[in-house]
Amino acid sequence: MSQALKSAIENQELINQVLIQFNQKISSLENTYVNCGLLSGLSGDLLFLYKLSQYNSDLVDESVFNDKLEFLQSQLAMNVDHPDLSNGLSGQGWFLEYVNQAQEDDYDPELCEEIDDILLNVLSVDSWKGEIEMVIGLSGIAMYAGRRQLKSAPEALFEKIINHFENIAIQTSDNTLAWSQPSDSVYRFNKDEVEVPEYNLGLAHGVPSIIAAILPALTIPSLFERTKRLLIQSCDWLLAQELKDKDRISCFGSSCNDDSGSRLGWCYGDLTIALTLARVGNALEMPSYIDKAKQIGLHAAARDEKEGMINDAGLCHGSAGLALIFQLLNQQLNEEKFLEVANKWLTYSLDLYQNKGMQGFYMYSGLSKSHEEDTGLLMGYGGIGLCLLAALGEDADWADCLLLA
């Protein structure tokens, strides 16, 4: 259990009402092989239902949950050629391992061994040529390895992952390094000059995702020094990208070529950069990173919905996601202001519901420029529900699936 937010305690009846409606929507979804993924599909739906059942077992139909879980397991073979986190094997494997570890004494160490073998085969290439970020790339596989490392310690996975990140790192100075988006990456901003290095600063697709993804490798003695070097040199590089303008809306842009500032959110922006720096600082006992993380976080705490570009409540870049991240930032930095702001964003999210009902939790689509219903973890009801549960004091131990813990 984590510390409950004051606003959540005061509005628990309202939050329960929202959670019941989310459960009804998500439980009624048909099982489909099209998307069993974690970020927008069945695995993410199951994560919400599982955490909701831990909060109140009477709210979730056990037979519905088990039926969906069995369907997910039946579809694993379909993803042998899809190792990614978002829709593929890494995300689905993460969920199975998460639930497996929650069984404590009944933990089955063999449950995910076949997934380990498949991912080891994917990683057994001389040179990594694919995406490097976490949604569909190498950092997402590292996230699965990090979850496995908590219990089963498959060191071979991280050995190969660290090898790849060492090999593709660009040494930007004697003491700093970073990772450029691959020339054929779908996440490159500059697709006209693909040979020019491009350094993304978002947790979803950039250098912070790699920093957060390799952090668990510190627990492997044989990889500690190598991982520490990568972390320190990349964090030092990241800090050097801070915008210099005193009137800046944010401390960092979306990429190192962007001086226009970034939104508040999980995917991009100061808040998850601060959280990543705080986690590294605490893991390596480096006060300079911790102090800088607090400074960046306090700057983010002063922003409102207009400055933060908040258009919905979703976990990815919406108000409920901000409430969660400020909670997690407080856990790392023990700064009362972060709890105050987490309460502010939770209240903001609940006001959306009270003013518009379920439509208040619709996802804002950048394509249609309108709000649309979404049930997924990253953009929709499932992720908002998990944020609400965390606000009530339920353990947000699942947040490692988004590189937040």
Side-chain angles (χ1 to χ4, degrees):
M1 298 284 287
S2 57
Q3 182 178 356
L5 296 180
K6 179 181 178 181
S7 180
I9 297 171
E10 294 172 347
N11 292 282
Q12 185 166 3
E13 185 175 342
L14 178 64
I15 292 175
N16 286 339
Q17 178 182 324
V18 171
L19 292 171
I20 289 170
Q21 289 185 273
F22 284 171
N23 174 54
Q24 292 170 342
K25 283 282 187 177
I26 291 172
S27 293
S28 65
L29 294 173
E30 292 187 11
N31 298 332
T32 170
Y33 70 90
V34 173
N35 188 357
C36 288
L38 179 63
L39 299 189
S40 60
L42 178 58
S43 296
D45 297 341
L46 281 165
L47 176 59
F48 167 71
L49 294 176
Y50 183 73
K51 293 302 293 184
L52 183 62
S53 70
Q54 289 188 314
Y55 169 66
N56 185 341
S57 60
D58 293 335
L59 295 180
V60 179
D61 187 324
E62 186 175 356
S63 64
V64 170
F65 179 86
N66 288 335
D67 178 61
K68 290 181 178 296
L69 181 59
E70 289 175 7
F71 182 82
L72 173 66
Q73 291 175 301
S74 74
Q75 298 299 304
L76 290 176
M78 304 282 288
N79 286 289
V80 172
D81 297 325
H82 302 282
D84 63 276
L85 169 72
S86 179
N87 295 317
L89 207 55
S90 291
Q92 292 161 33
W94 176 92
F95 172 74
L96 294 175
E97 181 68 7
Y98 174 80
V99 174
N100 191 17
Q101 290 178 10
Q103 308 312 305
E104 298 181 348
D105 292 343
D106 292 327
Y107 175 76
D108 178 4
E110 299 179 354
L111 179 66
C112 289
E113 284 185 350
E114 187 174 350
I115 295 175
D116 290 348
D117 291 340
I118 293 170
L119 294 177
L120 276 171
N121 185 60
V122 170
L123 294 168
S124 295
V125 292
D126 293 334
S127 178
W128 185 261
K129 301 296 185 184
E131 298 280 4
I132 60 174
E133 49 79 72
M134 66 92 70
V135 175
I136 59 175
L138 184 58
S139 293
I141 300 176
M143 186 225 65
Y144 165 81
R147 170 52 63 171
R148 287 285 278 155
Q149 187 68 24
L150 294 176
K151 195 83 173 180
S152 293
E155 296 181 8
L157 281 173
F158 259 127
E159 172 70 36
K160 292 184 180 297
I161 289 166
I162 294 298
N163 280 342
H164 286 311
F165 278 128
E166 285 176 332
N167 291 336
I168 59 181
I170 297 175
Q171 201 70 43
T172 54
S173 75
D174 290 342
N175 298 307
T176 61
L177 59 80
W179 293 273
S180 170
Q181 294 288 55
S183 60
D184 58 351
S185 172
V186 298
Y187 298 111
R188 280 188 70 96
F189 294 117
N190 183 358
K191 291 182 170 59
D192 295 327
E193 300 175 285
V194 295
E195 300 307 318
V196 176
E198 179 178 288
Y199 302 105
N200 188 296
L201 300 183
L203 185 65
H205 307 304
V207 173
S209 75
I210 299 172
I211 295 171
I214 65 174
L215 191 52
L218 288 173
T219 63
I220 303 173
S222 63
L223 296 177
F224 179 84
E225 290 299 333
R226 293 164 62 190
T227 304
K228 179 180 178 181
R229 182 186 75 86
L230 291 176
L231 289 171
I232 292 176
Q233 293 202 11
S234 56
C235 283
D236 286 349
W237 174 88
L238 180 60
L239 289 172
Q241 310 314 307
E242 186 173 6
L243 298 174
K244 308 304 180 186
D245 186 353
K246 292 182 179 180
D247 296 324
R248 62 198 176 188
I249 190 173
S250 64
C251 298
F252 295 86
S254 298
S255 72
C256 65
N257 297 319
D258 172 27
D259 59 4
S260 63
S262 56
R263 70 194 314 164
L264 270 182
W266 164 79
C267 50
Y268 284 95
D270 293 355
L271 201 51
T272 43
I273 288 177
L275 182 58
T276 301
L277 288 170
R279 292 180 61 215
V280 175
N282 284 324
L284 293 177
E285 298 181 347
M286 298 187 65
S288 62
Y289 290 171
I290 295 171
D291 292 345
K292 192 62 182 179
K294 184 175 291 190
Q295 177 186 330
I296 297 166
L298 289 172
H299 187 277
R303 295 170 69 181
D304 59 18
E305 65 271 22
K306 182 178 180 180
E307 286 188 346
M309 295 171 254
I310 306 302
N311 293 313
D312 57 26
L315 205 168
C316 183
H317 44 251
S319 55
L322 294 183
L324 171 69
I325 299 170
F326 274 111
Q327 267 188 287
L328 296 175
L329 201 55
N330 176 67
Q331 290 177 16
Q332 291 289 330
L333 298 173
N334 192 28
E335 171 56 58
E336 191 69 25
K337 180 65 176 181
F338 297 145
L339 277 182
E340 176 187 323
V341 179
N343 276 289
K344 180 192 82 170
W345 287 115
L346 176 62
T347 301
Y348 180 94
S349 303
L350 295 175
D351 285 346
L352 291 175
Y353 175 75
Q354 290 184 300
N355 292 331
K356 299 182 181 179
M358 288 288 278
Q359 290 187 12
F361 290 140
Y362 279 15
M363 167 199 76
Y364 180 77
S365 169
L367 296 176
S368 67
K369 306 299 181 184
S370 63
H371 287 84
E372 303 171 359
E373 188 172 34
D374 189 282
T375 58
L377 169 65
L378 198 57
M379 305 289 283
Y381 298 153
I384 298 170
L386 288 167
C387 294
L388 295 178
L389 289 168
L392 287 168
E394 292 297 302
D395 199 339
D397 55 348
W398 53 269
D400 63 302
C401 77
L402 293 174
L403 301 176
L404 296 173

